[in-house]
Amino acid sequence: MTYKVKCWECGNEITDNYLDACPRCNGSLTIEMDLSHLEGTKPEDLRSRPLGVWRYSHFLPINSDPVTLQEGGTPLYDCDKLADEYNVRELQVKFEGANPTGSFKDRGMTVGVSRAVELGCKVVGCASTGNTSASLAAYAAKAGLKCVVLLPSGKVALGKLAQAMFFGAKVVTVDGNFDDALRVVRELSHSGDLYMLNSVNPFRPEGQKTLAFEILDQMDFKLPDRIVYPVGNAANIWAAYKALKEWQSLGWIDELPMLTGVQAGGSAPLVNSFAHGQEDFKAVENPETVATAIRIGNPASGRKALKAVYDTGGVMTAVSDREIIEAQFLFGRKEGVGCEPASAASLAGVKKLLDEGKISRKERIVCVCTGHVLKDPDTVIANCGQVLKTPATADAVRKAIGG
Ligand code: F0G
């Protein structure tokens, strides 16, 4: 594929493969794909390949055999019972927990690690609230690369930590939160210690574009009114916008669904600026939330995410920890699908926006549920009742469960 790496802020073309920001203005980077060879085609033409990230290879900046674990191709569930509970016309959930390491990060990582291999890198690394590290560790193992992950101390869900350790990454917890860990890993990348695969690396969001492509594909290209994302470091919602704009530029879709972002109340810098119609945001010191995946005060792609929301006529909102856990359990118990707390923020956000009358009950809505319930077993157990204990007789069990 032909493409250029550019500064998203000033348009400067970037030729150094190892930069993570513009040397002229410090703006964040993006990739401009040359899609001219697709003119006159239609999205159905891609359907001879299985649903998954690499169905969309024409939109991905990789020109070698990818490092893949068969990521993507995740279910889009019709959630009629949840739609009834929320009193909305149509609610579907794109369940990213069904990816190889249990989160949407695998979409970006198959592209990011393929890029690392193309460049001949030997050591890859990232800062993470957990899922990025689990995903990078797995893809690095597959590619035979060394991997270092930096995590905020004490605030990473158990399943994610176990995955990063299991796949053989060097796991380092740093004193501080995700924003501190990202600062340090950027330094390590600038000094050449590692190739950084956080989403400030513009190859990562390219893979994450496929989440939006798949939703449209699975809906037979009949657009939903709204797609709702949980927002942390803010690259995923931006990737959706980029994906939609690329398909629009080819005439594959006419309009764009309203991209809607949900942050956790204790970590909501973008919601604050959205409320004031601002393009920029002020970082939140000491972010806090039960949804540790999105416990981020200074989102690296924050400006891009705001643009995605403004340009599509979407909205941003914040939800409380209680609303998040309620949505997580309602989803699990009505639909039989388990997602982690950060993922449930998208559902909680929809409920809140409907209740506040900020979005219409006549809409067809897709919520992106980004990670699997088993990522964070501690939170589940802390929010469930006690396990019943009985002697080993049928009578005792009958009595314990109330008949
Ligand atoms: N949901 C989950 C489960 C996540 O792990 C993340 C981000 C998000 C939503 C937010 O996505 O950052 O693109 O806005 N997790 C990162 C990590 C930060 O390190 O795993 P975003």
Side-chain angles (χ1 to χ4, degrees):
M1 302 308 131
T2 318
Y3 62 88
K4 286 180 183 155
V5 180
K6 289 193 158 179
C7 172
W8 181 71
E9 299 281 355
C10 75
N12 187 16
E13 194 175 333
I14 311 291
T15 48
D16 181 334
N17 291 325
Y18 300 95
L19 292 181
D20 61 18
C22 176
R24 201 158 72 187
C25 75
N26 204 32
S28 75
L29 306 186
T30 189
I31 290 181
E32 193 177 277
M33 295 298 303
D34 176 1
L35 301 175
S36 52
H37 63 291
L38 290 172
E39 267 156 34
T41 62
K42 48 190 192 318
E44 288 88 340
D45 296 342
L46 304 180
R47 282 193 166 167
S48 57
R49 299 183 190 183
L51 188 70
V53 168
W54 295 98
R55 173 180 280 189
Y56 310 100
S57 61
H58 295 292
F59 297 86
L60 302 177
I62 294 296
N63 290 308
S64 53
D65 283 345
V67 180
T68 174
L69 295 169
Q70 300 183 30
E71 48 293 310
T74 55
L76 181 68
Y77 291 122
D78 290 325
C79 295
D80 297 343
K81 291 206 275 177
L82 205 57
D84 280 352
E85 284 286 330
Y86 287 174
N87 188 14
V88 64
R89 176 174 157 206
E90 202 175 292
L91 185 60
Q92 288 175 295
V93 167
K94 180 70 169 162
F95 182 55
E96 288 293 290
N99 274 298
T101 75
S103 86
F104 74 95
K105 301 289 179 182
D106 295 344
R107 296 178 182 275
M109 224 40 101
T110 181
V111 174
V113 171
S114 298
R115 176 63 178 164
V117 171
E118 264 183 8
L119 290 172
C121 301
K122 299 283 179 261
V123 185
V124 290
C126 68
S128 179
T129 55
N131 281 322
T132 301
S133 68
S135 184
L136 180 57
Y139 284 84
K142 175 80 177 170
L145 304 178
K146 289 188 179 151
C147 177
V148 187
V149 304
L150 272 59
L151 309 175
S153 65
K155 298 283 180 171
V156 174
L158 204 62
K160 306 173 189 181
L161 182 63
Q163 284 178 296
M165 294 169 74
F166 173 72
F167 289 119
K170 288 230 187 292
V171 178
V172 184
T173 62
V174 299
D175 291 338
N177 56 34
F178 170 84
D179 306 304
D180 300 308
L182 183 60
R183 176 178 45 76
V184 176
V185 88
R186 286 181 103 146
E187 255 178 71
L188 290 168
S189 140
H190 298 160
S191 52
D193 289 283
L194 49 79
Y195 182 66
M196 185 187 48
L197 278 165
N198 278 97
S199 56
V200 288
N201 180 325
F203 287 77
R204 277 271 319 277
E206 291 301 300
Q208 288 169 205
K209 289 187 309 194
T210 62
L211 208 171
F213 291 153
E214 279 185 16
I215 292 173
L216 302 189
D217 219 329
Q218 287 168 306
M219 298 182 88
D220 281 327
F221 315 111
K222 292 183 198 82
L223 298 189
D225 296 307
R226 187 179 301 277
I227 307 182
V228 186
Y229 281 79
V231 173
N233 212 24
N236 208 25
I237 192 166
W238 153 254
Y241 175 68
K242 191 166 189 292
L244 295 165
K245 292 295 275 187
E246 287 179 0
W247 277 25
Q248 192 183 39
S249 76
L250 288 169
W252 286 11
I253 53 174
D254 298 329
E255 291 174 10
L256 306 189
M258 293 174 275
L259 291 175
T260 294
V262 186
Q263 296 198 290
S267 314
L270 303 181
V271 178
N272 297 343
S273 41
F274 177 82
H276 297 98
Q278 293 158 349
E279 284 173 20
D280 218 334
F281 65 94
K282 197 165 161 289
V284 167
E285 303 283 331
N286 305 318
E288 216 36 89
T289 167
V290 68
T292 51
I294 51 173
R295 183 176 162 264
I296 294 175
N298 188 16
S301 299
R303 282 169 58 81
K304 288 173 166 169
L306 284 165
K307 163 110 177 128
V309 173
Y310 289 133
D311 266 21
T312 57
V315 46
M316 292 210 69
T317 193
V319 288
S320 69
D321 283 359
R322 194 176 49 76
E323 289 168 323
I324 288 173
I325 298 296
E326 269 175 20
Q328 184 193 18
F329 275 73
L330 188 70
F331 182 41
R333 292 180 179 188
K334 289 282 172 195
E335 301 289 349
V337 184
C339 69
E340 68 168 283
S343 312
S346 59
L347 296 167
V350 165
K351 179 177 185 330
K352 185 167 183 186
L353 290 166
L354 286 165
D355 290 349
E356 290 175 347
K358 292 195 177 148
I359 64 177
S360 158
R361 297 196 184 275
K362 295 196 187 119
E363 287 186 9
R364 297 166 64 234
I365 299 177
V366 175
C367 276
V368 178
C369 280
T370 41
H372 201 282
V373 65
L374 291 177
K375 292 282 191 173
D376 189 354
D378 289 330
T379 302
V380 171
I381 290 169
N383 286 287
C384 287
Q386 292 289 314
V387 174
L388 306 170
K389 287 194 184 130
T390 72
T393 68
D395 252 2
V397 171
R398 231 174 263 126
K399 210 163 137 199
I401 64 176

